[in-house]
Amino acid sequence: MLTSLVCNSHCLSLDNEQGNEITRCNNHGANPQEFNARLEKRIEVKREPLGHSKQAEFVKVMEQELEKRDKQADGSGRFTKDKTLGSILNLDLIQDNSGEEIAELWRQYYATKDTISAVIPAHIFEVIFNRAKSNPAFLYALPQKEGYEFFLGQWSDHELHFTSLINVQTMGEHAPSQLILYHYSDLQKDKGVVLMTAEMDPKFMTVHLAQCLANQVQLFYGTQRQETFRLVETFNHKPTDFKHTAVIAELEQSGINPALTSGN
């Protein structure tokens, strides 16, 4: 179920068997329960070789577009303003390609990049995005060697911004994004795919951690298990009833455990 989001990382699949017992939460001073009280006031808002020349041309154009895009990056030099699918690839070149062909080109291209990417089936993204409209925020837990580190994920249209909870608690609305997932729905209707890639602050985020967070987006927003999605609804609409330990329990049941980040 989650393979549609796992493309270019060695992060363990969420389909693995249940992992270790839940470890005690230790978030370096971040207190999820304390955050919930303040959140309630804001809740209304917010590698196959290149053979065919057309495929080679596709990758060449993507390289050129990414080089231009990097020059347009914001002052931090990490995130791109007004990022569009057209800024990554020439849409005219793929008009005659099927969704499967575009997906393969996308995977091959990003397989060599120091970031994550995905090709999400249109019907799965429709579920995720529709749920995000009424539930724009959620608390994610990244397993660490000792305990968990929490990240707040907030949707802004088709972008999903992640910031560590401790930064949100200390800096409030001025806390900078440490990871942004970009979802391109340009081809959703005609080709049946939504293309995703990401940008991250390398000082605080690795490709491995970014992939683990991306996995959790589908786990909590794309699930068919109502009990799992109810955690998202509770966080957004009844924050005082939300328990961060329930997120950890869900991750453990899904196979996400501290061994994931043992190499960091």
Side-chain angles (χ1 to χ4, degrees):
M1 292 296 293
L2 291 176
T3 53
S4 60
L5 276 181
V6 182
C7 298
N8 299 323
S9 172
H10 298 295
C11 182
L12 295 182
S13 169
L14 295 180
D15 292 327
N16 290 341
E17 296 180 356
Q18 183 171 342
N20 300 330
E21 294 182 359
I22 300 172
T23 59
R24 184 172 62 85
C25 173
N26 177 8
N27 188 35
H28 310 292
N31 187 334
Q33 296 303 117
E34 181 181 310
F35 172 72
N36 289 340
R38 299 211 306 265
L39 176 66
E40 191 172 23
K41 298 179 180 179
R42 301 173 53 193
I43 216 59
E44 297 179 357
V45 189
K46 3 196 179 186
R47 184 138 311 154
E48 158 183 64
L50 294 179
H52 195 279
S53 60
K54 186 174 182 180
Q55 185 173 342
E57 182 183 3
F58 173 88
V59 173
K60 181 179 179 180
V61 171
M62 288 184 73
E63 293 280 7
Q64 294 172 343
E65 292 298 330
L66 282 172
E67 184 177 350
K68 289 190 295 184
R69 188 203 70 194
D70 290 341
K71 294 179 180 179
Q72 298 172 348
D74 63 19
S76 67
R78 292 185 292 268
F79 300 109
T80 306
K81 296 181 179 179
D82 303 319
K83 189 178 175 73
T84 64
L85 184 59
S87 69
I88 299 177
L89 59 86
N90 188 328
L91 297 176
D92 293 334
L93 286 179
I94 59 174
Q95 285 184 348
D96 297 329
N97 290 81
S98 66
E100 291 77 10
E101 292 171 332
I102 295 171
E104 183 59 25
L105 290 170
W106 188 260
R107 293 189 186 100
Q108 287 186 9
Y109 177 74
Y110 276 104
T112 62
K113 305 302 175 184
D114 192 23
T115 187
I116 64 172
S117 68
V119 178
I120 308 172
H123 68 281
I124 293 179
F125 183 75
E126 183 175 4
V127 171
I128 293 174
F129 191 61
N130 284 339
R131 287 174 167 177
K133 290 178 181 178
S134 56
N135 301 276
F138 190 60
L139 190 69
Y140 301 84
L142 281 182
Q144 301 292 345
K145 292 180 180 179
E146 297 182 1
Y148 289 79
E149 181 177 8
F150 290 90
F151 281 78
L152 179 66
Q154 295 179 291
W155 288 85
S156 176
D157 196 20
H158 287 76
E159 297 179 4
L160 180 51
H161 295 244
F162 289 92
T163 307
S164 66
L165 179 59
I166 195 168
N167 279 355
V168 175
Q169 291 178 327
T170 56
M171 303 174 67
E173 61 183 15
H174 300 295
S177 298
Q178 294 167 308
L179 169 70
I180 303 177
L181 302 185
Y182 301 95
H183 301 85
Y184 302 111
S185 59
D186 309 52
L187 308 175
Q188 183 174 3
K189 182 178 180 180
D190 295 336
K191 306 295 184 179
V193 294
V194 172
L195 304 177
M196 186 276 281
T197 188
E199 289 183 332
M200 65 195 77
D201 185 340
K203 293 182 180 179
F204 305 100
M205 184 67 56
T206 66
V207 172
H208 180 79
L209 295 178
Q211 186 67 71
C212 290
L213 286 172
N215 288 351
Q216 291 186 42
V217 175
Q218 178 142 350
L219 171 63
F220 290 105
Y221 279 87
T223 182
Q224 296 180 3
R225 187 170 178 268
Q226 188 57 39
E227 292 81 0
T228 302
F229 179 62
R230 190 170 293 123
L231 292 176
V232 179
E233 294 180 310
T234 301
F235 183 83
N236 283 271
H237 303 291
K238 297 180 180 179
T240 55
D241 295 336
F242 178 78
K243 299 183 184 301
H244 65 278
T245 52
V247 175
I248 296 174
E250 194 66 37
L251 294 181
E252 292 291 340
Q253 181 177 345
S254 301
I256 297 288
N257 58 60
L260 284 175
T261 55
S262 58
N264 291 308

